Amino acid sequence: MISVGIDAGSATTKAVLVDSKKIIACAICPTGFDFIAAAQKAYEDVIEKAGIKKKDVDHVYSTGYGRNSIKFADKAISEIMAHARGVYYMYPDVKGIIDIGGQDSKVISVNNGKVSDFLMNDKCAAGTGKFLEYTARALEVPIDELGSLALAATRPASITSMCTVFAESEVISLRTRGLAKEDIAAGLIESIARRVAVMVRQVGLKQNVAFVGGVAKNEGIRKALEKELKLSLFVPRKPQMTGALGAALHDIS
């Protein structure tokens, strides 16, 4: 059985095509302002990469921020369930998942691939990719360089504001005081790690924890989280694809 999972995120839209339990192809594209167009592009791209026709696809499942916008999907899947299934496929020993996306952050407790508890921050940009985006802009550095910049810090700055708007102002203030960009970047990343760590402790995760979502590609965030939580995190090679993968695997036992 061939199925496609489409994860319509706020920043990027991902698609994974599986045949039975085998991953055949993946695709990713910017979401932009049109969830439907982005989902259609990701779907067409993943089918082309797999070398098949649309008629060969048995099921299409959507998940993520814009999942209900994808009308050509057979079913919309909760992103909590999708990430749990996708991570379990790659890491059967998983007990917990940290997912930091563009608009929200989630901490999920997992038992044999099933969700047993979770916390979600979707009301505030603090601790999300959007927070990193705004603060990177205030530092005038590309967001994908923020992590490596932070790792070069010698004296991480103290960031007291978790509100994105106030944190951006605080970054500008620290820059005018002459603090190094590296130290400010480290302070920002450590503030996110502390915020997410609170959620992790509330859910009670202590071992076999995976870190997924686009922000998981940021090595600085990963190391800050590991230091804050005092544990090693499993990070998939393509951490932003786990939701789409879990959706694709929805009806496959």
Side-chain angles (χ1 to χ4, degrees), residues 11-252:
T12 58
T13 295
K14 290 78 63 176
V16 174
L17 186 147
V18 301
D19 186 352
S20 298
K21 285 189 175 182
K22 185 178 180 182
I23 299 173
I24 305 300
C26 302
I28 185 169
C29 66
T31 298
F33 292 101
D34 191 336
F35 282 108
I36 299 172
Q40 190 67 50
K41 176 170 172 47
Y43 181 50
E44 291 172 357
D45 286 352
V46 82
I47 287 174
E48 183 180 350
K49 286 183 178 182
I52 63 171
K53 305 290 185 181
K54 286 184 181 180
K55 63 180 178 62
D56 298 322
V57 177
D58 297 293
H59 297 290
V60 178
Y61 299 108
S62 63
T63 190
Y65 194 73
R67 62 186 178 275
N68 293 318
S69 301
I70 305 172
K71 302 304 181 184
F72 65 87
D74 297 304
K75 187 176 181 180
I77 309 297
S78 156
E79 53 195 301
I80 303 291
M81 294 173 59
H83 280 295
R85 184 69 188 272
V87 173
Y88 182 71
Y89 174 90
M90 294 180 287
Y91 183 38
D93 293 329
V94 67
K95 298 297 182 185
I97 300 166
I98 299 169
D99 169 32
I100 303 181
Q103 294 281 7
D104 60 35
S105 52
K106 298 175 282 290
V107 175
I108 309 165
S109 178
V110 179
N111 184 16
N112 291 325
K114 306 293 184 182
V115 176
S116 54
D117 194 10
F118 73 92
L119 277 178
M120 176 185 283
N121 164 34
D122 61 352
K123 305 299 183 186
C124 173
T128 70
K130 186 60 69 175
F131 180 88
L132 285 174
E133 181 183 327
Y134 278 106
T135 50
R137 185 175 64 188
L139 275 177
E140 296 180 348
V141 297
I143 190 169
D144 56 357
E145 294 179 13
L146 198 63
S148 57
L149 189 68
L151 292 174
T154 55
R155 297 180 63 184
S158 175
I159 305 294
T160 58
S161 300
M162 276 312 298
C163 172
T164 302
V165 175
F166 293 130
E168 190 174 2
S169 297
E170 190 171 359
V171 167
I172 295 170
S173 176
L174 291 171
R175 287 187 63 191
T176 61
R177 287 165 47 192
L179 272 71
K181 284 188 178 183
E182 293 83 355
D183 293 339
I184 299 173
L188 289 166
I189 281 176
E190 288 179 2
S191 70
I192 291 177
R194 288 193 297 270
R195 173 91 175 205
V196 174
V198 170
M199 297 171 64
V200 171
R201 295 183 184 111
Q202 285 179 308
V203 174
L205 306 185
K206 296 181 180 178
Q207 60 179 349
N208 295 350
V209 179
F211 182 24
V212 302
V215 175
K217 296 188 294 180
N218 186 312
E219 188 180 4
I221 293 279
R222 178 184 63 79
K223 289 190 174 182
L225 272 172
E226 289 181 333
K227 181 180 178 181
E228 187 71 26
L229 296 170
K230 297 180 174 57
L231 55 81
S232 295
L233 298 172
F234 168 75
V235 181
R237 188 169 60 89
K238 295 182 178 180
Q240 72 273 42
M241 306 302 291
T242 56
L245 172 61
L249 293 169
H250 174 67
D251 264 348
I252 300 175

